[in-house]
Amino acid sequence: MIHQYDVIIVGAGGAGLQAAIEIPTESRCAVLTKVFPTRSHTGTAQGGVSAALGNEEEDSWEWHAFDTVKGGDYLGDQDAIETMCKDAIRAIIELEHMGMPFNRTPEGKIAQRMFGGHTANFGEKPVRRACYSADRTGHVMLQTLYEQCMKNDVTFFNEYHVMDLIIREGVCRGLVAIEIKTGEIHIFHAKAVMFATGGYGRVFQITSNAMAGTGDGFEMAYRNGVPLEDMEFVQFHPTGLWKLGILVSEAARGEGGILRNKDGERFMERYAPSIKDLAPRDMVSRAIYTEIKEGRGIEASDGSFYVGLDLTHLGKEIIEEKLPEITGFAKTYLGVDANEEWIPVQPTTHYAMGGIPTTIDAEVIVDENNTTMPGFYAAGECACVSVHGANRLGTNSLLDILVFGRRGGKKITEFLVNAEFPELPDDASEWTQNTIKRIRNNDNSVKMIDVRNEMQFTMMDTCSVFRVEESMKEGLQKIKELQEKYLLVGIDDKSKGFNTDLLEVVELGSLLNTAETIITCAINRKESRGAHWREDYAKRDDTNWLKHSLIFGTTGSTPDIRYKPVIIKQFEPKERVY
Ligand SMILES: Cc1cc2nc3c(=O)[nH]c(=O)nc-3n(C[C@H](O)[C@H](O)[C@H](O)COP(=O)(O)OP(=O)(O)OC[C@H]3O[C@@H](n4cnc5c(N)ncnc54)[C@H](O)[C@@H]3O)c2cc1C
């Protein structure tokens, strides 16, 4: 079946919905999503969304921009960061007008809390900048944006799994999707396509990400010749629930929570004397692993180690009013009452700093000279603008999706004024058909779950918080072997409708190819910066590495890595001390 729309947006998280709201109703726009819109990962965001409103104390967008640049270890593009931090204030007020139920100050203003790496006066002391709705900020944001889409009569194709982009002669012409309910293939012919497909956390064994975070958008772009930027930068959030990886928001530390080692010591005082537990995530994750490595972790009954997140001094009222969700998770999944005991935590794979390169208007960039591809846009976690550089600050992603989702929607609207439907090739669905045929015809001797487990273990083991060349090379070798094995993976369930076995195999293909780009770029970058920490190159090296990496390569070929300069404006790179 062939559909024609002026614009197709893939993804119904914050970025996709915010973009859809901007497309005027006279244009035909549809949103495709593999999960029901309000189940997108944005809905799980807990802690907050940043904007220098200054409602609780003095703040300014320049301080916010400085913190974002420094937090990202000077790899972020400062033009994009300025754009985001300036626009944050408008974005929050707009959400408030849409009806988002923020927590309030006693005078009725939007309340704000502290978060990691957000400071006053260029690093002097922590500042209250995160706007929040208890610890369900993403949930209410997604519901609010979805309501606006309903109001604007946006067309949704829910539970459509996008399989391939149609790119010919450097022009994006639409995409191919499977309708999950029927198993039918649909071709969507479009003047403009926007990817807002979220992250890839499921590449790793321990992650805070939803099951759907399988990197499909990154992989589809890459498979069709679009480079990926800064893929080596993977954020590990310091406080995942021990062994499970379920997130315990930084808001817990924003409200005064303290990390403790087995001696009860507040160890962050040694690593970041000025902002302690509110240091950026990369630093806190490394500190936790260092404590464990040096014998100060807390030993669990199974012989593994964690550290404690101490909220016991906050009092029941704060916990119930501001942190109900995460303390509920601790109770439900680990049987821990946060009022009485420390929550056992360990770092968990959380966020993709890298992704599909874009301009500040979400236009996809295809080379190191910033050439854009007509008709293709990307925003949100799958995109790399780059505002987060080498390490994202908490609360800056919910902001990123609002600001760049909206800018993308506006840019597409401009593009549509003169755009025509590009020609649709006859072989548009060939790759999709062949892939489905292969998976269906394989005998099921190689199991999806075995390949996926091995990949997730390998990535966790060789390419997580601390990295070293030799082990990463072994990891890459293993990923390549798994890519070969993957071609033999089959399924028992041969039915057409709701064949989740088949789609999980498709997702595994995305995960494996995304894993390859991450580890290849991590081997290539011979310095330590932000979340990319090389034990064999333990220093940041601005002389050789103050640049973005772009990995090119269609699957099967040896990837080519090229570079793009970092845009520096008012903040010259300095040593990163907190
Ligand atoms: C537990 C958790 C807590 C977080 N808390 C915060 C926070 O407090 N503050 C903050 O700033 N950030 C937070 N983040 C990060 C932030 O929530 C995400 O980065 C952001 O919401 C991503 O939004 P998105 O719109 O890019 O994608 P998502 O919300 O991830 O949505 C992706 C969409 O793409 C669709 N999709 C993907 N692949 C396909 C395909 N093949 N076919 C069809 N559809 C597809 C999915 O169905 C989905 O609709 C948190 C993240 C997690 C995991």
Side-chain angles (χ1 to χ4, degrees), residues 390-407:
N391 173 63
R392 172 174 75 83
L393 290 188
T395 70
N396 266 354
S397 175
L398 288 184
L399 177 60
D400 164 359
I401 62 183
L402 293 174
V403 169
F404 296 103
R406 174 172 177 269
R407 293 181 73 91

Side-chain angles (χ1 to χ4, degrees), residues 10-16 32-37 40-49 115 137-138 142 160-163 196-199 208-210 212 214 216-217 220 247 249 281 350-351 379-382 392-399 401:
V10 185
L32 265 69
T33 166
K34 67 178 178 178
V35 301
F36 190 77
S40 301
H41 192 66
T42 297
T44 70
Q46 301 170 348
V49 48
F115 239 82
T137 313
L142 194 62
Y160 276 64
H161 190 116
V162 177
M163 298 283 290
T197 50
S208 66
N209 284 194
T214 52
D216 307 357
M220 277 185 265
L247 194 73
S249 170
R281 291 171 177 176
H350 187 57
Y351 183 81
E381 190 169 340
C382 70
R392 172 174 75 83
L393 290 188
T395 70
N396 266 354
S397 175
L398 288 184
L399 177 60
I401 62 183

